Amino acid sequence: MTDGTNETPGAPRVPSGQNAGPNSGPNVTLEEIARAAGVSPSTVSRILNGTARVLPEKQRAVEEAIARFNYRPNVLARSLASGRTETIGVLTQAVSSPFYAEWLRGIEEALAEPGFTPIFVSSRWNVVDEKARLEEFVARRVDGIILLHAQLDEPTLTEYSRYAPMLVLGRSVQNGMALAGLPIDNLQGARDATRHLIEQGHREIAFIAGPSNHEDAIERLDGYRSALEEAGIGFDADLVEQGDYLETGGVAAMERLLARRPSLSAVFCANDQTAYGARLTMFRRGVRVPEDVSLVGFDDLPTSSYMTPPLTTVRQPTYEIGRLAAQGIVQMIRKQPVALSPIPLTLVTRETTRRIGPSLSKGDQRA
Amino acid sequence: MTDGTNETPGAPRVPSGQNAGPNSGPNVTLEEIARAAGVSPSTVSRILNGTARVLPEKQRAVEEAIARFNYRPNVLARSLASGRTETIGVLTQAVSSPFYAEWLRGIEEALAEPGFTPIFVSSRWNVVDEKARLEEFVARRVDGIILLHAQLDEPTLTEYSRYAPMLVLGRSVQNGMALAGLPIDNLQGARDATRHLIEQGHREIAFIAGPSNHEDAIERLDGYRSALEEAGIGFDADLVEQGDYLETGGVAAMERLLARRPSLSAVFCANDQTAYGARLTMFRRGVRVPEDVSLVGFDDLPTSSYMTPPLTTVRQPTYEIGRLAAQGIVQMIRKQPVALSPIPLTLVTRETTRRIGPSLSKGDQRA
DNA sequence: TTGTAAGCGTTATCAT
DNA sequence: ATGATAACGCTTACAA
């Protein structure tokens, strides 16, 4: 618990770097650098920020002092004085969801370029938490806010957008210059997936839905339904089961489906995690995919292409969406106009779907 | 691009909440609250922080003013004045890795209790980035640092630990009161997994290794090797293939393995992602799991229990590890002693492993 | 080009 | 119990 590597309490915390002067470390201030270099604090500040040109010799002296003292500007003081934090609050529903991971990566990387730092927090699918996290953003004086699947109502979002420009992913909102939505075309994606199944000859296509209070879950259901109707098959509520976007929900829903409609020939799941669960249930029940039942997911999680067999699903270009969001919020901060068109989704046909005879029923489908 | 919901440029940004006074919003300062409540700024500060008892009537007046103006303390100013940011820098190799996700969740949740906010950043498996991120932590004056799988050498870590207490996950370091490691018993985990395979009658057990510059990858290889030797089977370099902890690496390694040693009866992968890749290759080649070849992974990612068949793997209690790390760093910040014992790993036996005759060779294994 | 000085919004140390 | 007042470390007019 104790060893010689730690500073004496009260003593300045200094690194042991070779160039470390007596007062180096994070406690070195801009003023000390100024004094050491024989210039005024403002000059140091100017050099640090490139705010004005400075005589080369002073420039050198300051840079030398900075290196010698291992000086790092205090971000807090800088932000307090300037009024800018160069920080973007990013609210996810769950940092740990495989689904958000790629979005965050896109956001982080695109934000790094203009020099912004994302602050990731998660609200755990909880509206109360969601509001609390937004309050934190305000308290931290973030320069912008990105919301992934906000559940808060639009008036509330509008209100918070007065503090900092806000971009809402996966949702369409009344766009303003402080509030913008980057909608994702879930309806189209779900319709394409369902059409694909229909084209393959499927007629008895089940759907495992997502949480009914999620905008995108509703859109996906609508897409499924509209493809069915457009093909003249008609919507059959008996073929729809409720899921929760989680694997466990998929397991349970598939069990109910199999019990109620053993004749179904395809299952379309509202997201990949649900499909994973449905897949497990089929494995347990000895239902082969795709020989007995075709399966389609939604999202194209990184692992979906490694499922056995690889999952046919609707791909969301999450990384790219993340980048777009980051670029968008930066533009909003800079008061530049942003044009965000709905993100199109594409079907990725892999190996969980199979063509079946146009009007064959169960008995014949089985390989 | 424009609508009525935005404030006139230059006008104070105020929310339209019902109680919103003329000067509400994030620009309201503690001083204004003090003035409105007829007390001094220090009194407001005391009420906000519970630093001292205040007359009930003033307390009420202040609280009323806070509510009326919708006042939120400026975290930056507070931190600058107090010297504490209540912030923990958390460095991961990749925010988007399914592997880190659960750790982050554990960290975030456990940190919320004592009121700390994590700042997640990723270094993308890049040592240069890793150092840059640490510099950012220093610039942000974080109160503590948690590193997930740091690649930097120990002297460097020790140096940074002088700025803020540092906890390194998945690594053992010279513990001090400002630097501590939370080791994970990879060797034991790998040994248990290999022993399991041996007990099931397997003798020709291949191993797909992780990056050779990763401490944990090396430990896992060592565990595999030691279990083999302990059983008198002996280590056969021909059965070891190089992977990279990613699915693609698993695919390629498995291909080479199958070509070189078609007689192998089991494959142990350095992590689950590698196992996913190996599984796919086997699926492609018509090698059945576990009928033809048994497969074991390492990590127990959330999706592993939904693989087909569910993957036998070594479970890391990542969420709990995250919580432990969070609690540990808070204790270090508070200068309390922390005792971190190595995290034990447990084998989760699912359905990708199968008992085979003690000395049967390939031909007989095939179901 | 460079320096002086006034903030930025808090906390914390003194007195009272 | 409460109020002045001096930091905290930086940016930014305003002067020079």
Side-chain angles (χ1 to χ4, degrees):
Chain A
M1 236 34 3
T2 44
D3 67 22
T5 66
N6 292 286
E7 78 283 9
T8 311
R13 300 175 137 201
V14 304
S16 54
Q18 40 179 7
N19 294 323
N23 296 317
S24 64
N27 300 323
V28 180
T29 68
L30 180 148
E31 198 178 331
E32 299 180 57
I33 296 297
R35 207 178 306 138
V39 299
S40 78
S42 21
T43 299
V44 178
S45 172
R46 284 176 187 119
I47 292 175
L48 249 27
N49 302 296
T51 315
R53 223 202 301 285
V54 168
L55 281 190
E57 64 176 81
K58 304 206 174 192
Q59 168 110 16
R60 235 188 312 284
V62 168
E63 281 167 353
E64 188 270 335
I66 288 177
R68 186 155 54 89
F69 287 88
N70 203 222
Y71 166 73
R72 279 102 160 186
N74 184 324
V75 172
L76 300 162
R78 185 205 295 268
S79 297
L80 182 60
S82 69
R84 291 169 260 111
T85 59
E86 312 284 66
T87 266
I88 307 289
V90 181
L91 182 105
T92 76
Q93 299 298 320
V95 262
S96 71
S97 159
F99 177 65
Y100 288 110
E102 285 292 294
W103 289 22
L104 301 191
R105 190 167 68 89
I107 291 173
E108 186 179 37
E109 293 194 2
L111 238 30
E113 292 152 20
F116 284 85
T117 303
I119 295 194
F120 299 119
V121 299
S122 48
S123 62
R124 298 174 289 172
W125 300 106
N126 180 330
V127 197
V128 178
D129 268 30
E130 203 169 298
K131 195 158 185 178
R133 296 291 91 75
L134 286 182
E135 284 292 331
E136 276 180 35
F137 287 160
V138 176
R140 293 208 115 75
R141 303 300 193 263
V142 298
D143 291 338
I145 298 175
I146 296 177
L147 263 34
L148 307 189
H149 290 142
Q151 299 188 73
L152 287 168
D153 54 66
E154 197 159 334
T156 308
L157 295 184
T158 305
E159 188 163 323
Y160 280 103
S161 76
R162 303 195 172 219
Y163 300 128
M166 180 186 282
L167 193 55
V168 192
L169 253 63
R171 187 159 153 179
S172 58
V173 295
Q174 253 267 40
N175 280 27
M177 44 175 286
L179 177 63
L182 207 181
I184 292 173
D185 206 339
N186 289 288
L187 193 130
Q188 183 61 49
R191 188 185 287 152
D192 287 352
T194 311
R195 278 178 181 157
H196 171 68
L197 254 9
I198 294 170
E199 281 162 13
Q200 300 271 64
H202 295 275
R203 290 295 174 272
E204 215 169 334
I205 304 169
F207 182 71
I208 303 182
S212 52
N213 57 336
H214 280 233
E215 195 180 304
D216 50 22
I218 295 168
E219 289 174 13
R220 292 173 192 185
L221 175 57
D222 287 347
Y224 158 77
R225 185 174 191 143
S226 84
L228 246 32
E229 285 166 353
E230 143 198 297
I233 297 179
F235 176 78
D236 178 355
D238 210 42
L239 279 167
V240 176
E241 262 298 341
Q242 188 61 46
D244 57 5
Y245 270 175
L246 298 177
E247 290 86 351
T248 48
V251 166
M254 193 67 217
E255 235 134 45
R256 293 190 298 264
L257 235 25
L258 248 22
R260 197 169 65 228
R261 294 288 290 253
S263 56
L264 59 84
S265 77
V267 181
F268 176 26
C269 297
N271 75 351
D272 281 2
Q273 285 173 268
T274 301
Y276 296 172
R279 174 77 186 91
L280 180 60
T281 292
M282 294 198 261
F283 173 71
R284 292 257 175 279
R285 301 273 169 272
V287 176
R288 292 165 303 161
V289 175
E291 292 81 358
D292 301 332
V293 170
S294 287
L295 179 67
V296 178
F298 205 114
D299 284 348
D300 194 19
L301 296 184
T303 33
S304 291
S305 53
Y306 290 95
M307 289 276 120
T308 312
L311 185 68
T312 290
T313 185
V314 178
R315 170 161 163 69
Q316 296 211 44
T318 43
Y319 173 77
E320 293 77 9
I321 294 176
R323 290 196 65 95
L324 278 178
Q327 287 157 2
I329 197 70
V330 170
Q331 285 182 293
M332 289 170 78
I333 291 170
R334 295 184 176 151
K335 312 243 178 245
Q336 293 165 2
V338 284
L340 301 170
S341 35
I343 306 291
L345 268 28
T346 54
L347 181 71
V348 182
T349 309
R350 287 203 274 248
E351 301 160 45
T352 51
T353 46
R354 155 178 183 270
R355 151 156 273 119
I356 64 173
S359 58
L360 301 178
S361 61
K362 188 185 165 191
D364 312 285
Q365 293 164 33
R366 311 271 150 162
Chain B
M1 235 32 8
T2 43
D3 67 23
T5 66
N6 292 286
E7 78 281 11
T8 311
R13 298 175 137 201
V14 304
S16 54
Q18 40 178 7
N19 293 323
N23 296 315
S24 63
N27 300 325
V28 180
T29 68
L30 179 148
E31 198 178 333
E32 298 180 57
I33 296 297
R35 208 178 307 137
V39 300
S40 77
S42 359
T43 299
V44 178
S45 173
R46 284 176 188 119
I47 292 174
L48 248 28
N49 301 294
T51 314
R53 222 200 301 286
V54 168
L55 280 190
E57 65 176 79
K58 304 206 172 190
Q59 168 107 17
R60 235 187 312 285
V62 168
E63 282 166 353
E64 187 271 334
I66 289 177
R68 186 154 54 88
F69 287 87
N70 203 221
Y71 165 73
R72 280 99 159 189
N74 184 323
V75 172
L76 300 162
R78 186 205 294 268
S79 297
L80 182 60
S82 69
R84 292 169 261 111
T85 59
E86 314 283 67
T87 265
I88 306 289
V90 181
L91 182 104
T92 75
Q93 298 298 320
V95 263
S96 70
S97 159
F99 178 64
Y100 288 110
E102 284 293 293
W103 290 23
L104 301 190
R105 190 168 68 89
I107 290 172
E108 185 179 38
E109 293 194 2
L111 239 31
E113 291 152 21
F116 284 85
T117 303
I119 296 194
F120 300 120
V121 300
S122 48
S123 62
R124 298 174 288 172
W125 301 107
N126 180 331
V127 197
V128 178
D129 268 30
E130 203 169 298
K131 194 158 185 178
R133 297 291 91 75
L134 286 182
E135 284 292 331
E136 276 181 33
F137 286 160
V138 176
R140 292 207 116 75
R141 303 299 194 264
V142 298
D143 290 338
I145 299 174
I146 296 177
L147 263 34
L148 306 189
H149 290 142
Q151 299 187 73
L152 286 168
D153 53 65
E154 198 160 333
T156 308
L157 295 183
T158 304
E159 188 162 323
Y160 279 103
S161 77
R162 303 195 172 218
Y163 300 128
M166 181 186 282
L167 193 55
V168 192
L169 253 62
R171 188 159 152 180
S172 58
V173 294
Q174 254 266 40
N175 280 27
M177 44 175 289
L179 178 62
L182 207 180
I184 292 172
D185 206 339
N186 287 289
L187 193 129
Q188 182 62 48
R191 189 184 285 152
D192 287 352
T194 313
R195 277 178 182 157
H196 171 68
L197 253 10
I198 294 171
E199 280 162 15
Q200 301 269 66
H202 294 276
R203 290 295 173 272
E204 216 169 334
I205 304 168
F207 182 71
I208 303 182
S212 51
N213 57 337
H214 281 233
E215 195 179 302
D216 49 22
I218 296 169
E219 289 174 11
R220 292 172 193 186
L221 175 57
D222 288 347
Y224 159 76
R225 185 175 191 143
S226 82
L228 246 32
E229 285 166 354
E230 146 198 295
I233 296 178
F235 176 78
D236 180 354
D238 210 43
L239 279 167
V240 176
E241 262 298 342
Q242 188 61 46
D244 56 6
Y245 269 175
L246 298 177
E247 291 85 351
T248 48
V251 166
M254 192 69 217
E255 235 135 45
R256 292 191 297 264
L257 234 25
L258 246 25
R260 197 167 65 226
R261 295 288 290 255
S263 56
L264 59 84
S265 76
V267 181
F268 176 27
C269 297
N271 76 350
D272 280 2
Q273 284 172 269
T274 302
Y276 295 172
R279 174 76 185 91
L280 180 60
T281 292
M282 294 198 263
F283 173 71
R284 292 257 173 279
R285 300 273 169 272
V287 176
R288 293 165 303 162
V289 175
E291 292 81 358
D292 301 331
V293 170
S294 287
L295 179 67
V296 178
F298 204 113
D299 285 346
D300 195 20
L301 296 185
T303 33
S304 291
S305 53
Y306 290 95
M307 288 278 121
T308 311
L311 184 68
T312 290
T313 185
V314 178
R315 171 162 161 68
Q316 296 211 44
T318 43
Y319 173 76
E320 292 76 9
I321 295 175
R323 289 196 66 95
L324 278 178
Q327 287 157 0
I329 198 70
V330 170
Q331 286 183 291
M332 289 170 78
I333 290 170
R334 295 183 176 154
K335 312 242 179 247
Q336 293 164 1
V338 284
L340 301 169
S341 34
I343 306 291
L345 268 28
T346 54
L347 181 71
V348 183
T349 308
R350 289 202 273 248
E351 301 160 45
T352 51
T353 47
R354 154 177 182 270
R355 153 157 272 119
I356 64 173
S359 57
L360 299 180
S361 61
K362 188 186 165 191
D364 312 285
Q365 293 163 36
R366 310 270 151 163

